[in-house]
């Protein structure tokens, strides 16, 4: 009897061991399944968020644009322009876009046979608006630089530009060395003026604004000793506002202004380049200057600023 009880106890213990081992194996498997399922769900969610498998989403996001054919089929082109940078891109008293860049934009729409949806942009948003497909073209006094050309595709130029510095007549800044340690210089965020001064004159304290209107107000309110920007802009400001002088009319290298499209949008880029070349036959950009800029700059600046057919002076 004792032997039977001992044998029964051994068998019961053995059964319990097997049961616990099975439970442990089952628990481990369940934990593993939960982890794999979570990872799969995350991957699916990433793919569904972009409309593509997760591993393809980065490639898709790198090319967000409409081709020339898609724009023509839609009947509308989205063009980014300034709304507060008179005389290049601004909204007049009737709520209509006007200016040198807008004049060109209207011709693009006419020759493409589509309506134009003007999208107001700020200097710092120009690259972003192209990268996200918010606009098809940027025509917002966009200076061509190597850094920007890594992110967008520039067409042929239609204007020359350099940097300039405007300051009050009470203290005309004729050289950057005249800017003291406690002085500040106004720049627009995302412009070549900001980049140039940050890289070449880091000792100068910059006062940064997002809009041209705020920058002009800051200078008029005496918040800084000078304003650095495209020389075309500061010359226009000085001519339109008595009491200010462009003491530095040319700073840094001579650059060009050009239309820009999303990186890789080859069909639209080619069309714009062909358009710029063909418009030279009618001296289009000289007419543009005479319609939009001559009241500001006069005739003396016309030949030095205007670029016809994408060909700059050597």
């Amino acid at each position: 009897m004792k032997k039977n009880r001992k044998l029964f106890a051994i068998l019961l213990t053995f059964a319990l061991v097997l049961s616990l081992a099975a439970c442990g194996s089952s628990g481990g498997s369940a934990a593993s399944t939960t982890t794999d399922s979570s990872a799969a769900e995350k991957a699916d969610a990433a793919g569904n968020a972009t409309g593509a498998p997760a591993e393809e989403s980065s490639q898709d996001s790198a090319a967000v644009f409409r081709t020339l054919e898609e724009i023509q089929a839609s009947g509308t082109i989205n063009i980014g322009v300034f709304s507060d940078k008179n005389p290049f891109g601004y909204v007049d008293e009737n709520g209509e876009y006007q200016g040198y860049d807008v004049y060109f934009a209207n011709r693009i729409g006419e020759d493409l046979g589509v309506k134009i949806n003007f999208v107001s942009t700020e200097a710092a948003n120009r690259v972003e608006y192209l990268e996200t497909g918010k606009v098809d073209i940027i025509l917002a006094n966009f200076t061509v630089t190597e850094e920007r050309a890594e992110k967008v595709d520039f067409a042929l130029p239609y204007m020359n530009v350099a940097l300039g510095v405007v300051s009050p007549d009470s203290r005309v800044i004729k050289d950057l060395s005249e800017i003291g340690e406690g002085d500040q210089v106004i720049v627009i965020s995302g412009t070549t003026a900001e980049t140039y001064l940050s890289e070449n004159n880091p000792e100068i304290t910059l006062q940064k604004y997002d809009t041209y209107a705020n920058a002009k107000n800051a200078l008029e309110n005496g918040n800084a000793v000078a304003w650095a920007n495209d020389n075309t802009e500061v010359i226009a400001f000085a001519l339109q506002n008595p009491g200010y002088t462009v003491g530095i009319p040319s700073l840094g290298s001579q650059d060009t202004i050009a239309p820009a499209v999303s990186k890789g949008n080859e069909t639209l880029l080619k069309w714009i380049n062909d358009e710029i070349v063909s418009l030279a036959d009618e001296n289009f950009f000289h007419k543009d200057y005479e319609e939009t800029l001559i009241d500001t700059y006069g005739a003396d600046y016309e030949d030095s600023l205007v670029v016809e057919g994408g060909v700059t002076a050597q």
Side-chain angles (χ1 to χ4, degrees), residues 237-278:
F237 177 84
L239 291 173
Q240 295 169 348
N241 297 273
Y244 295 90
T245 296
V246 179
I248 305 178
S250 183
L251 180 67
S253 61
Q254 294 292 318
D255 297 310
T256 56
I257 300 294
V261 302
S262 300
K263 199 71 178 173
N265 196 349
E266 296 178 0
T267 57
L268 182 57
L269 181 67
K270 182 180 184 305
W271 187 92
I272 296 172
N273 283 336
D274 291 343
E275 175 82 343
I276 290 173
V277 171
S278 66

Side-chain angles (χ1 to χ4, degrees), residues 10-248:
I10 293 172
L11 290 174
L12 180 60
T13 302
F14 184 71
L16 287 172
V17 170
L18 287 177
S19 176
L20 289 173
C23 287
S25 175
S26 175
S29 177
S32 176
T33 300
T34 300
T35 302
D36 292 344
S37 175
S38 176
E41 287 173 1
K42 290 178 181 178
D44 288 342
N48 291 335
T50 59
E55 62 270 22
E56 296 177 2
S57 61
S58 61
Q59 296 178 355
D60 291 345
S61 63
V64 181
F65 58 76
R66 297 192 302 163
T67 64
L68 176 66
E69 293 76 14
E70 290 170 335
I71 292 169
Q72 291 175 313
S74 74
T76 302
I77 188 167
N78 302 313
I79 301 182
V81 295
F82 286 127
S83 60
D84 64 349
K85 192 176 182 181
N86 187 350
F88 297 96
Y90 64 99
V91 177
D92 65 17
E93 62 276 7
N94 298 316
E96 300 292 331
Y97 281 92
Q98 304 289 351
Y100 186 76
D101 293 336
V102 176
Y103 189 96
F104 180 29
N106 285 327
R107 180 59 181 267
I108 287 176
E110 177 184 336
D111 290 349
L112 265 178
V114 297
K115 294 180 180 179
I116 300 174
N117 174 39
F118 286 112
V119 179
S120 177
T121 184
E122 296 172 359
N125 294 336
R126 291 174 294 192
V127 170
E128 175 194 342
Y129 279 16
L130 286 173
E131 289 182 328
T132 58
K134 187 168 184 176
V135 299
D136 301 304
I137 305 173
I138 283 289
L139 284 177
N141 224 225
F142 210 7
T143 302
V144 179
T145 68
E146 291 183 3
E147 181 181 5
R148 289 170 177 168
E150 293 177 358
K151 300 178 180 179
V152 303
D153 283 338
F154 283 104
L156 294 172
Y158 60 93
M159 192 172 193
N160 291 312
V161 70
L163 296 179
V165 178
V166 61
S167 48
D169 288 347
S170 58
R171 183 186 171 187
V172 178
I173 301 296
K174 296 183 178 180
D175 191 275
L176 294 181
S177 62
E178 299 173 4
I179 299 172
E181 183 177 344
D183 296 329
Q184 295 189 21
V185 174
I186 294 167
V187 295
I188 307 293
S189 298
T191 61
T192 50
E194 178 191 14
T195 302
Y196 179 86
L197 291 176
S198 296
E199 293 179 352
N200 296 283
N201 300 89
E203 74 281 1
I204 296 177
T205 302
L206 302 181
Q207 196 175 115
K208 303 178 184 181
Y209 294 91
D210 290 332
T211 69
Y212 286 89
N214 288 339
K216 293 173 183 177
N217 289 337
L219 184 63
E220 292 171 342
N221 292 333
N223 295 352
V225 297
W227 175 23
N229 202 54
D230 289 353
N231 61 354
T232 51
E233 177 68 18
V234 295
I235 290 171
F237 177 84
L239 291 173
Q240 295 169 348
N241 297 273
Y244 295 90
T245 296
V246 179
I248 305 178

Side-chain angles (χ1 to χ4, degrees), residues 294-311:
I294 201 165
D295 289 343
T296 300
Y297 299 106
D300 292 343
Y301 285 99
E302 183 170 349
D303 288 336
S304 62
L305 292 179
V306 173
V307 175
E308 288 285 4
V311 180

